[in-house]
Amino acid sequence: MSRRNRGYGGIDVELRMLGPLELWSGSGPVDLGPPRQRTVWAAVAVDAPRPVPMETMVDRVWGEAPPERARHALHVYLARIRRVLEQVSLGEDGPARLGRRSGGYALEVDPDSIDVHRFRRLVGQARDGRCTGTEEAGLLRQALGLWRGTPLGGIDGDWADRVRQAWHQQHLDAAVRWAQAELALGEAAAVIGPLADLLLENPLAEPLVTALMRALHATGRVPEALDCYAAFRRRLADQLGLDPGDELRELHRAILHGNAGEARAAPAPAQPAGAGAAPPATPASAASAGGPGGPASAGGPAADLRSTPPAQLPLDVRGFTGRDAELAALDAVLAHAADQPTAVLIATLSGTAGVGKTALAVHWAHRVAARFPDGQLYVNLRGFGPDGTVMTPAEALGGFLHALAVPVASLPPDVDAQTALYRSLLARRRMLVVLDNARDAEQVRPLLPGAPGSLVLVTSRAQLTSLVAVEGAHPLAVDPPDAAEARRLLARRLGPERAAAEPEAMDDIITWCARLPLALAIVAARAAGRPAFPLAVFADELRDERGRLDQLSAGDEAGEVRAVLSWSYRTLSPAAARMFRLLGLSAGADIATAAAASLAGLTPGKARDLLAELALAGLAVEHRPGRFTSHDLLRAYSAELARQDDAPEGYAATRRLLDHYLHTAQAAAMSLNPHRDPVVVAEPGPGVTRGEVPDAERAARWFTAEHQNLLAAVRHAYRSGLDVHAWQLAWTVAEFLERRGHWTDRMAVQGVALEATRRLGDRSGQIRVLRVLGTACAQLGRFGEARAHLGEALELAASHGDDGVRANVHISLALALEGQGDYRTALEHASQALLLFRSAGHVAGQANALNMICWCRTRLGDYAEALAAGEQGLVLQRQIGSRYGQAGTLDSIGYARHHLGHHDQAVDCFEQALALFRELGARSFQAAALTHLGDTHAAAGDPGRARERWRSALTILDELNDADAAALRERIRHFGSETA
């Protein structure tokens, strides 16, 4: 519950700003005076309980051209406000006061008594990550309920317009977040109306469109979702000449292709009683046998139909749980049958082996069986089976016709005639046809009814794209359930007490089973057979990747994960089977086409075709354009096959993959910073594809996409004995990790690289790695380790004979010592580095050393000397064209000018540095420049801009989980009292 000021006699008092400006007490609204006085109310309330300087208040009330007696008029208005507050005293909490503090006035009230502050508190609580999904939605719902119209209604002026604009954006952000929270809870219908209303007011707000489309899709209103996208795209093009952003375009594609994993649907509605039972006989099923469209009219023998419709569905899965989104998507297909009354409804469920497609199809079919009074047909087409024998369409049709009471002797001789008879029998009937485990679209087509009224549900490991394109099937991708749903599935089978007793073992089992329902069911069955064994025993058995598949067996082929996966593997072409095996040698979570091409020693075009074949077979997923992944059990299976069948080729394939990563990373690192000290890498072997990173923007995108894969590649190279690849890969990725603030990753990967250089006995490589490792430790506050690593680097460099190498170690020492606060010693190392760089004729090194000297001198209070060094360094940075160096040096110069009192010049330097850091994607340095900007604005007497810049910096630091975030948050919180 929100806290409010208690008025006279304990009555609530509230100042409302999120709509017409109003003050409410227990007796009703309070008169706030004429328009100018109402502006003063808003001017002091917006920062309550912090003080607002008189100059700021004058600017808020009158703008850039205040009258001569503005201060006098302001004092009059403030006196009237005091009198109003005295009349609505806060009872037991004391009177509301307009306090006079040094330099300004403060409205001394509980911030929760002002709706905009309460709104921000509720939104902040919802975002802090500690509340449940239900609590988050509730908090945001409360926050949005505080809005009553246009904020600060009745107040004019530039300041009020700026405030309204900022609050309006906060309102939109909160509304989108609320919608996302409700969608996650399955309450999609609740958000459609509010989002649609907001979109009318904000027709170009893309996040609103995204949230509304998700909600419409989740409730089965797919055409409306697509119309919403089309209308927004037109508006955006007409008014701004732009296209929708990546997220919205991807969502649109996902909805078009029925990808429920990207556009989640709402839970299915409750089914009518009796949905799981076979429907009773109906007169229509028998009476229509000889009517129009029946077998007689098709030219075949008259069939003596049974009085009871066929009910061939297998037994529903005991303990079925979850799959709410998928069930809702299937419900939506059925609900929109009337949209095309002449078409046969077809839905396809595609996904990898063991993901639970059949269980889902059978469970949903039982739920809706009552909607199909003429019966249900089911067949396992054996598209992916243990013996590789695929059922022919003729065999399937024979079984269906027999179920429909056609005597064997009366069956037509060929498939076309059987199909015609089958379609005649199903004409004008409502039947549910489940075609399970289909191989491809050609196997399915003869089994499709020819007239509307029936629904066909197809499951397959293949994607059946042709069926979607030609017959208009509704595709639904079935992915492994999320962790929460997997936990419910496992707990349902184990029993709630046993599951609750060992939560960590449950988590491990779910992880090692890759959330695959088949694997989870096998573990649950094994655990049920040994009720006295702790679950930790089964989790430990799964921990070893090489033996994991051995543990996932229920005693027969259909219940063994390895065997079930093999049925898909055996359908591959020899080239695709080889690609699948080699993918088991990659260490990353996914792989790009160029990397897969290098792994297999193929052209990118050929590799792309083979990856597409794997995706069609359900053995890989193209989760992003050009990037493929698969779940952990598939990777374990492919690695097992690679060890068995490709051992002689494994080393060469691994080397080709690491060559691809190393050479592409080297090119990307030099695109990011052409003045970086490069390493000399050996030419790649034959069959290696280099990634295309022609400029800094493409390089940054490549590093971002391959971030985790590169870290895994360093460890993989070290384990494979490819030590040169290990340390050189670590070197190439070091600067990207620094720019993005990935300090822990940077330190961890350099630790592996150091072991590789020591194993090689490579002194030059050791020096490089020790430098980066030392500065990474210092950035994490591990100064003892930093000094040890850099001291070792200095000892190695002393006998190296290259002035540039020794200079780089001194610069690294200066960076580490500066981070520890030892600016005097840091300055000595920076000065030594400058001398050595000059001796070596290394211009970029001289520029960096001068920047470090500038920074250290500012920290020592030698601002004039600092400025001179910084300006010399900036000349050199511009001479060599280093944008990264210019940004850092401008930040240092700005810091010196700030302390010399040259505030305007300092702001200019910081703004230039910030613009460059943004272009370079250097997030941690953006935060530093923004913090310095805030400091300068505060010193120049502009607290509003100071807070704005600090908050922007804080956002970045929070995203990076930076330790400096807490101190900056505290500074913002107490800034009002600090400036009083």
Side-chain angles (χ1 to χ4, degrees), residues 390-704:
V390 180
M391 180 179 285
T392 65
E395 290 176 294
L397 283 166
F400 281 175
L401 290 171
H402 177 68
L404 294 169
V406 177
V408 174
S410 301
L411 286 178
D414 59 69
V415 171
D416 289 342
Q418 290 175 11
T419 298
L421 174 58
Y422 166 70
R423 288 174 176 167
S424 297
L425 291 172
L426 263 61
R428 286 184 299 282
R429 289 173 173 80
R430 291 185 56 78
M431 297 197 76
L432 176 60
V433 182
V434 180
L435 306 178
D436 192 21
N437 197 13
R439 180 66 168 268
D440 51 35
E442 291 307 311
Q443 187 188 23
V444 167
R445 284 194 172 101
L447 308 177
L448 299 177
S454 296
L455 183 144
V456 181
L457 181 59
V458 188
T459 76
S460 178
R461 299 184 189 185
Q463 293 179 5
L464 304 181
T465 307
S466 173
L467 208 62
V468 176
V470 178
E471 278 78 16
H474 298 268
L476 177 62
V478 183
D479 298 319
D482 61 27
E485 191 170 305
R487 173 177 284 276
R488 289 194 296 273
L489 187 156
L490 190 57
R492 186 85 173 262
R493 299 217 175 202
L494 291 171
E497 294 82 6
R498 195 174 184 189
E502 296 183 74
E504 292 182 3
M506 288 279 290
D507 289 341
D508 288 343
I509 291 170
I510 290 166
T511 298
W512 303 135
C513 288
R515 309 191 313 276
L516 202 67
L518 173 61
L520 292 170
I522 291 171
V523 174
R526 294 184 64 227
R530 298 176 177 86
F533 283 28
L535 294 181
V537 170
F538 303 100
D540 288 341
E541 290 175 347
L542 294 168
R543 196 174 302 276
D544 177 21
E545 181 181 338
R546 293 201 173 202
R548 189 174 301 158
L549 293 176
D550 294 330
Q551 304 301 324
L552 296 174
S553 172
D556 58 24
E557 268 202 304
E560 182 182 354
V561 169
R562 180 189 284 109
V564 171
L565 297 179
S566 74
W567 304 341
S568 292
Y569 172 70
R570 289 202 298 263
T571 68
L572 298 173
S573 66
R578 174 178 175 267
M579 174 66 83
F580 176 71
R581 295 193 303 271
L582 292 179
L583 288 177
L585 302 175
S586 65
D590 70 351
I591 194 166
T593 302
S598 299
L599 180 68
L602 303 170
T603 65
K606 180 61 176 175
R608 189 178 299 110
D609 291 342
L610 297 179
L611 290 167
E613 184 178 342
L614 295 182
L616 286 172
L619 292 172
V621 175
E622 189 174 10
H623 69 116
R624 284 188 296 176
R627 302 193 70 85
F628 294 80
T629 188
S630 58
H631 61 70
D632 289 346
L633 292 180
L634 273 172
R635 284 200 289 271
Y637 180 55
S638 63
E640 182 179 275
L641 292 174
R643 288 191 295 269
Q644 294 171 0
D645 302 339
D646 298 281
E649 188 187 0
Y651 181 84
T654 297
R655 188 180 184 108
R656 286 194 301 267
L657 177 64
L658 293 173
D659 272 351
H660 161 79
Y661 283 133
L662 177 58
H663 284 271
T664 309
Q666 169 82 324
M670 298 309 294
S671 291
L672 284 182
N673 182 5
H675 307 286
R676 181 174 202 269
D677 187 16
V679 295
V680 178
V681 299
E683 281 298 308
V688 175
T689 298
R690 299 180 196 238
E692 297 180 5
V693 284
D695 52 45
E697 183 179 351
R698 289 278 294 276
R701 287 206 302 269
W702 184 83
F703 269 129
T704 300

Side-chain angles (χ1 to χ4, degrees), residues 931-949:
T931 302
H932 295 156
L933 262 172
D935 295 343
T936 302
H937 284 310
D942 191 343
R945 289 187 179 178
R947 277 189 293 269
E948 177 188 345
R949 292 304 194 175

Side-chain angles (χ1 to χ4, degrees), residues 697-715:
E697 183 179 351
R698 289 278 294 276
R701 287 206 302 269
W702 184 83
F703 269 129
T704 300
E706 300 288 358
H707 173 186
Q708 295 300 327
N709 287 343
L710 290 169
L711 302 184
V714 172
R715 293 188 287 268

